[in-house]
Amino acid sequence: MAASSYVFDFSQGSRDMKDLLGGKGANLAEMTNLGLPVPPGFTITTEACRAYLANGKEPADLRVQVTRALRHLEDKVDRRLGDRHDPLLVSVRSGGKFSMPGMMDTVLNIGLNDASVIGLAEASGSDRFAWDSYRRLIQMFGKTVLGIEGDQFSAALDEAKAAKGVTSDVDLDVDDLVALVARFKEIVREESGQDFPQHPREQLDLAIRAVFDSWNTDRARVYRRRERIPHDLGTAVNVCTMVFGNLGETSGTGVAFTRDPSTGEPGAYGDYLVNAQGEDVVAGIRNTLSLDDLKALDPAAHTELMGVMRRLETHYRDLCDIEFTIERGKLWMLQTRVGKRTAAAAFRIATQLVDERLITEDEALERVTGAQLAQLMFPQFDSHSPRRMLTRAMAASPGAAVGKVVFDSETAVAWAARGEDVILVRRETNPDDLEGMIAAAGILTSRGGKTSHAAVVARGMGKTCVCGAEELDVDVAAKLVRVDSTTIREGDTVSIDGSTGEVFLGDVPVRPSPVVTYLEHGLDQAVAGADEETAALIRAVDRLLAHADETRRLRVRANADTPDDAVRARKLGAEGIGLTRTEHMFLGDRRVLIERVILADTAEERDAALGALLPMQRQDFYEILEAMDGLPVTIRLLDPPLHEFLPDYTELSVRVAVAEVQGKPDAQDLALLAAVERLHETNPMLGLRGVRLGLVVPGLFALQVRAIAEAAMARIKDGGDPKVEIMVPLVGSVMELHLIADETDGIVHEISRREGIPLQIPVGTMIELPRAALTAHRIADVAEFFSFGTNDLTQTTWGFSRDDVEAEFFAAYLDKGVFTVSPFESLDVDGVGRLVQIAVEEGRATRPDLKLGVCGEHGGDPESVHFFHKVGLDYVSCSPFRVPVARLEAGRAALEASASETR
């Protein structure tokens, strides 16, 4: 059997090989093949990483393949790794299939040691540069490979700057750096029990192994769980010839985007640092210059960079994120990828690329998501409310976030767990802050720009972020931040605007998103008076939603229980109501009437209570049908557990006991308590509810059916066009549905004959029990439609009580990988989805024209919408706010299905 190829030269790959080479390696290969200035190198595959992680050691022939690739690289550049004269140095970088910015490890300057640092100084003509590169290697190697706390090295660097009386590392001279290298080597010896390795190949092998290991660090696993990236992919390792941005004032390093990743504004955007290496930019340790500043410093390099960026954007047909280094005026491309962007930028860039004829309308729709649209619908700060601005900095990731200030990740997680909204304030973030960044409502840093770690990660998570607020003096140890004469302590409230970069003291009120204004009131009203950026965003959303509506097969309805809900849902694009819950109609003053229906001792008492409820219910349904005139309205008959309509058992027991002690027993309370005790259930969610309640309590469902039918008849008489459907909940047996359907048909026909007007009201059922799904072929004999109640179907399939388990153990299940996401947020396709598929196939085998929908909140979940399209549902129904999200995703699902059929 032939041995696997674990190592590929950059010239051997392409961007289509991300599974094997990872995103970074595949794109380095692509740029190499395009003839762009990429330092030579090679990639060790994800296959090698998976083998290493599975067996605890590298594949047997990996070292041999690395040796051959390294020798080929040495011959290409005519230098040797770690040589005493003009040494070859390499970087060792991670690179998974999916971008995970800052989550895995990198080591630069591999090959430097006590001898080669002298050779580097001679070859470069700069002793300072050589010793600065050596101290960087020891610092990164010590933290990444040897597991030494990075703060140890940072503290030593701070001490060296303090002793010199400077604030920046670039102000340290060669003697300072020689002394710092010696101190760093002491830290390595003290903390690891061994000397810093001097053999270049040992450095390389250990660095490769460390990158493999970094795939399973806590921060990497947390990031993958959040982004729902599989844990079994592994990372590639990229070994690349070092080029140096820290060779003086004619050198530097930068990160650039072909368009603004925050707003989508056309034109190149980026950060540049003179006399620095790449990690300095991302770390945000020094505030950066702009690309315009680079143009002034080095016009030739800037011109070449602009040409490369245009070429890459044309080649990838998308926003590109680029890392580059300029070494003494020579431009080198270190990385490119399709860039992460904010939700607003995603919509604007997609439509811009259509207008520039780089992509089609279908491709533009595929490049935005329902989750991004939901982000755009979040509220923003009210600019007219009183507020005190502390500072304005870099608007790194949009949104309005208000919370209590915390200064470390652990506190952010702890306070968020107890229900507090927090703003994580740091000088700069690093990958170890990830859990705190996830927990926080927003992130505020005093250093860094739009390409810093905080900005890139926040944009990827859709988290509000403001970076580079230089006026903030952040004292993490004292847990306070000073802005001029103002001191903010841990627990004080601040508000940050990730769209403007503004930071305010205290709680600033919010206002509706302009995207919601557009959705509810139309394009013209929304753009009137809006600034140019907001107007461009609204027009982009309008175009892509319109295209989704033209493309999708799935209809989108709303779950709406009141006329106001129905009106709002219709404005947001709902094509009917998929679920009207009737239980809320029995709250307040009506509760006593439903109690009398359930607890009545005689038919007369029950009929009197039902008679009082009838006109109230009729008016409820009339108003909803009026709001949705001409569109389908599915009304679910009464569903909640019996105990929700009875007096609280504990409260009633106490009242009776107190009255008896006082010698004043109340006969009515005693009778009521006896009735409540008789009807008391140990597990109400699986007890007398839904269709069971309708069959056991005479007249209850008949009341609702009569009210629905009479409301529909009244709408017809008033010139309306009601399209009402009656849905029977919690059916597990076809006989249950038979009994209710027969009763319903009788009432509807009676009213139709009485009024002399034809009236047709379809009767269907919710599929929310596994038995209903498994006997769908029988239930479809009676049901004219199915609506999947995926909330209860998930509970009954998993054996979960949602209200209990989410608080009890879901966090542990997510942490241990049992779930990648809560099955109540996104449909469990393998289990619950299988039941849905069975019910669809067998229901339609019995009744080919069976109408199928879903009315659980999964109907508005982007991933679940794709599944519902795939299995052949006719519509999804969700809360009004999520209707636009479902519309967009239904269009994307249609495109996905079409592409799959083509393949």
Side-chain angles (χ1 to χ4, degrees):
M1 181 176 176
S4 297
S5 293
Y6 291 122
V7 180
F8 287 74
D9 188 84
F10 288 168
S11 63
Q12 296 174 308
S14 74
R15 67 174 177 176
D16 298 324
M17 296 174 67
K18 289 182 181 179
D19 285 342
L20 189 64
L21 303 180
K24 187 175 296 182
N27 288 323
L28 282 167
E30 191 75 8
M31 288 196 295
T32 298
N33 294 330
L34 286 172
L36 299 181
V38 177
F42 56 88
T43 300
I44 302 170
T45 67
T46 57
E47 190 177 70
C49 177
R50 289 193 294 271
Y52 169 82
L53 295 174
N55 302 315
K57 60 181 181 180
E58 297 94 339
D61 56 344
L62 178 60
R63 286 172 61 89
V64 172
Q65 292 188 32
V66 169
T67 297
R68 293 178 62 189
L70 178 61
R71 289 195 173 194
H72 178 71
L73 174 61
E74 290 174 331
D75 292 343
K76 185 179 292 186
V77 300
D78 195 24
R79 284 179 284 158
R80 301 292 177 262
L81 182 68
D83 193 65
R84 292 171 178 269
H85 306 286
D86 194 13
L88 167 66
L89 305 183
V90 297
S91 62
V92 178
R93 297 175 181 265
S94 61
K97 176 181 179 180
F98 300 104
S99 176
M100 295 171 54
M103 295 304 111
M104 293 182 292
D105 287 334
T106 292
V107 184
L108 305 181
N109 304 330
I110 290 289
L112 275 178
N113 55 28
D114 292 349
S116 61
V117 68
I118 305 302
L120 182 64
E122 292 173 353
S124 65
S126 172
D127 289 353
R128 190 199 178 283
F129 153 72
W131 286 96
D132 181 50
S133 299
Y134 195 15
R135 72 91 183 165
R136 289 171 183 271
L137 168 63
I138 301 171
Q139 184 172 358
M140 296 181 77
F141 195 96
K143 180 182 177 182
T144 299
V145 180
L146 303 179
I148 300 170
E149 283 292 330
D151 289 345
Q152 298 255 26
F153 298 105
S154 297
L157 179 58
D158 288 342
E159 289 170 6
K161 289 187 287 188
K164 183 77 171 179
V166 299
T167 58
S168 174
D169 52 4
V170 298
D171 294 321
L172 297 176
D173 62 25
V174 64
D175 292 333
D176 301 322
L177 291 169
V178 170
L180 192 58
V181 165
R183 178 64 190 125
F184 278 8
K185 288 161 71 175
E186 288 176 6
I187 292 172
V188 169
R189 190 179 308 109
E190 293 164 1
E191 297 298 322
S192 70
Q194 62 190 63
D195 289 329
F196 176 76
Q198 293 292 306
H199 196 290
R201 182 56 191 267
E202 181 184 3
Q203 294 176 8
L204 178 61
D205 290 341
L206 288 173
I208 291 169
R209 193 173 304 153
V211 172
F212 283 160
D213 287 332
S214 72
W215 175 257
N216 277 333
T217 59
D218 288 343
R219 68 175 184 251
R221 295 185 70 84
V222 167
Y223 186 88
R224 288 199 297 273
R225 279 199 301 272
R226 178 183 173 84
E227 300 298 318
R228 298 169 71 177
I229 297 171
H231 289 302
D232 60 356
L233 297 180
T235 181
V237 180
N238 299 288
V239 179
C240 185
T241 303
M242 281 296 304
V243 289
F244 299 98
N246 56 332
L247 264 171
E249 296 303 308
T250 60
S251 302
T253 190
V255 177
F257 296 87
T258 54
R259 297 169 196 243
D260 191 322
S262 182
T263 66
E265 191 70 25
Y269 183 91
D271 295 329
Y272 181 70
L273 271 179
V274 175
N275 197 17
Q277 287 196 320
E279 297 304 303
D280 296 340
V281 178
V282 177
I285 293 169
R286 289 158 52 194
N287 285 338
T288 56
L289 303 176
S290 70
L291 294 185
D292 285 339
D293 295 324
L294 170 61
K295 182 178 182 180
L297 291 170
D298 191 337
H302 177 270
T303 298
E304 185 181 3
L305 176 64
M306 293 300 102
V308 169
M309 291 172 69
R310 178 178 170 83
R311 187 173 177 190
L312 285 172
E313 185 175 85
T314 302
H315 184 70
Y316 283 87
R317 300 187 306 128
D318 206 346
L319 162 73
C320 289
D321 170 356
I322 294 159
E323 292 182 18
F324 66 93
T325 282
I326 297 172
E327 181 182 282
R328 290 179 170 167
K330 166 65 176 172
L331 176 69
W332 292 100
M333 305 304 296
L334 305 184
Q335 178 177 333
T336 191
R337 59 190 171 198
V338 172
K340 291 185 179 294
R341 66 208 72 182
T342 65
F347 277 84
R348 289 190 65 189
I349 290 170
T351 53
Q352 288 165 10
L353 293 175
V354 171
D355 293 340
E356 294 168 21
R357 306 296 191 269
L358 276 176
I359 63 174
T360 66
E361 289 272 7
D362 284 353
E363 288 174 308
L365 181 55
E366 290 171 332
R367 292 188 183 183
V368 296
T369 68
Q372 289 170 329
L373 180 57
Q375 285 181 33
L376 295 177
M377 295 170 68
F378 293 153
Q380 300 178 353
F381 287 137
D382 182 359
S383 59
H384 300 294
S385 63
R387 51 193 184 169
R388 178 184 168 192
M389 190 167 76
L390 293 171
T391 187
R392 183 194 294 266
M394 187 73 70
S397 185
V402 180
K404 295 182 177 179
V405 169
V406 296
F407 292 93
D408 60 79
S409 182
E410 293 78 9
T411 305
V413 171
W415 287 25
R418 70 189 194 203
E420 302 270 15
D421 289 330
V422 299
I423 304 296
L424 179 62
V425 179
R426 304 283 287 164
R427 292 191 186 97
E428 68 273 336
T429 62
N430 63 61
D432 294 330
D433 291 318
L434 180 64
E435 291 191 75
M437 297 173 75
I438 292 172
I443 301 148
L444 172 62
T445 70
S446 61
R447 299 175 181 169
K450 281 191 179 180
T451 60
S452 65
H453 175 269
V456 172
V457 174
R459 279 196 297 273
M461 295 193 297
K463 190 81 65 174
T464 301
C465 180
V466 174
C467 285
E470 297 180 13
E471 294 179 16
L472 301 184
D473 178 11
V474 180
D475 188 335
V476 174
K479 295 193 173 183
L480 58 82
V481 57
R482 298 181 184 87
V483 190
D484 296 328
S485 60
T486 302
T487 299
I488 302 165
R489 302 184 185 279
E490 186 171 80
D492 291 345
T493 298
V494 297
S495 303
I496 64 173
D497 190 330
S499 302
T500 65
E502 294 170 313
V503 181
F504 303 99
L505 184 64
D507 187 342
V508 177
V510 297
R511 61 175 173 82
S513 156
V515 171
V516 172
T517 302
Y518 147 69
L519 290 166
E520 292 188 334
H521 301 290
L523 181 63
D524 291 342
Q525 184 172 333
V527 299
D531 60 68
E532 184 178 339
E533 184 179 313
T534 301
L537 169 61
I538 292 170
R539 290 191 178 95
V541 172
D542 177 65
R543 284 179 63 179
L544 292 177
L545 258 182
H547 188 61
D549 289 337
E550 293 168 357
T551 305
R552 62 187 166 91
R553 176 188 61 77
L554 277 173
R555 301 298 92 193
V556 178
R557 301 190 192 179
N559 300 341
D561 303 339
T562 67
D564 287 345
D565 286 345
V567 169
R568 187 174 198 215
R570 194 161 188 165
K571 288 180 177 178
L572 292 170
E575 297 161 303
I577 294 179
L579 173 63
T580 291
R581 292 166 284 241
T582 57
E583 36 276 7
H584 85 279
M585 300 173 182
F586 295 100
L587 301 177
D589 294 340
R590 304 182 191 184
R591 184 184 175 103
V592 65
L593 294 173
I594 198 68
E595 282 183 13
R596 290 175 188 171
V597 172
I598 295 170
L599 299 174
D601 292 325
T602 66
E604 290 77 12
E605 291 178 3
R606 183 179 302 112
D607 290 344
L610 289 169
L613 283 168
L614 179 60
M616 301 177 188
Q617 281 269 270
R618 184 169 54 233
Q619 184 62 26
D620 291 333
F621 298 137
Y622 181 94
E623 291 175 4
I624 289 174
L625 292 174
E626 183 180 35
M628 277 288 169
D629 194 58
L631 296 176
V633 175
T634 303
I635 299 175
R636 183 180 71 186
L637 300 179
L638 206 59
D639 181 50
L642 182 63
H643 74 279
E644 293 190 13
F645 293 126
L646 298 176
D648 182 83
Y649 176 67
T650 302
E651 184 180 308
L652 184 58
S653 299
V654 170
R655 194 163 73 226
V656 168
V658 170
E660 288 179 341
V661 168
Q662 294 174 343
K664 302 176 182 178
D666 185 293
Q668 185 175 349
D669 278 354
L670 285 168
L672 193 58
L673 179 60
V676 171
E677 287 176 337
R678 184 179 75 251
L679 297 170
H680 179 71
E681 296 175 314
T682 302
N683 191 343
M685 293 301 293
L686 296 178
L688 187 57
R689 57 172 288 212
V691 67
R692 304 160 193 169
L693 193 63
L695 292 173
V696 169
V697 179
L700 182 58
F701 275 13
L703 155 76
Q704 292 196 290
V705 171
R706 184 172 296 279
I708 291 167
E710 290 181 355
M713 187 61 73
R715 284 294 305 143
I716 293 172
K717 288 181 176 181
D718 291 344
D721 181 22
K723 297 184 181 298
V724 67
E725 305 166 339
I726 290 176
M727 183 159 65
V728 183
L730 212 72
V731 165
S733 161
V734 67
M735 185 52 66
E736 293 172 319
L737 186 59
H738 255 304
L739 294 169
I740 299 300
D742 288 348
E743 183 179 29
T744 298
D745 288 345
I747 294 169
V748 172
H749 290 153
E750 171 210 324
I751 293 170
S752 180
R753 285 195 305 270
R754 185 185 72 202
E755 300 295 337
I757 299 174
L759 183 62
Q760 297 290 328
I761 300 181
V763 176
T765 184
M766 291 185 80
I767 302 295
E768 48 192 332
L769 296 174
R771 191 179 192 280
L774 296 171
T775 60
H777 59 292
R778 296 180 182 173
I779 294 175
D781 275 328
V782 180
E784 295 175 80
F785 65 87
F786 288 169
S787 182
F788 292 93
T790 51
N791 296 343
D792 271 355
L793 188 57
T794 297
Q795 291 196 92
T796 53
T797 300
W798 279 90
F800 286 157
S801 170
R802 178 176 183 173
D803 292 339
D804 297 321
V805 299
E806 286 193 308
E808 290 292 330
F809 63 81
F810 267 31
Y813 266 40
L814 289 165
D815 185 60
K816 294 178 185 296
V818 179
F819 301 145
T820 57
V821 65
S822 164
F824 293 108
E825 293 179 28
S826 195
L827 191 77
D828 161 29
V829 171
D830 294 333
V832 179
R834 180 73 183 112
L835 290 173
V836 171
Q837 189 170 9
I838 289 170
V840 168
E841 293 170 355
E842 298 192 0
R844 282 209 169 125
T846 298
R847 185 187 291 262
D849 63 346
L850 183 69
K851 186 163 56 178
L852 299 168
V854 59
C855 60
E857 272 305 299
H858 292 106
D861 169 63
E863 288 196 22
S864 304
V865 169
H866 287 246
F867 173 79
F868 296 135
H869 176 99
K870 182 179 178 181
V871 298
L873 267 57
D874 297 304
Y875 69 87
V876 296
S877 187
C878 54
S879 65
F881 185 81
R882 301 186 87 178
V883 164
V885 173
R887 288 165 54 199
L888 189 81
E889 284 298 340
R892 297 181 72 243
L895 293 176
E896 180 181 70
S898 177
S900 179
E901 290 171 5
T902 302
R903 288 195 296 269

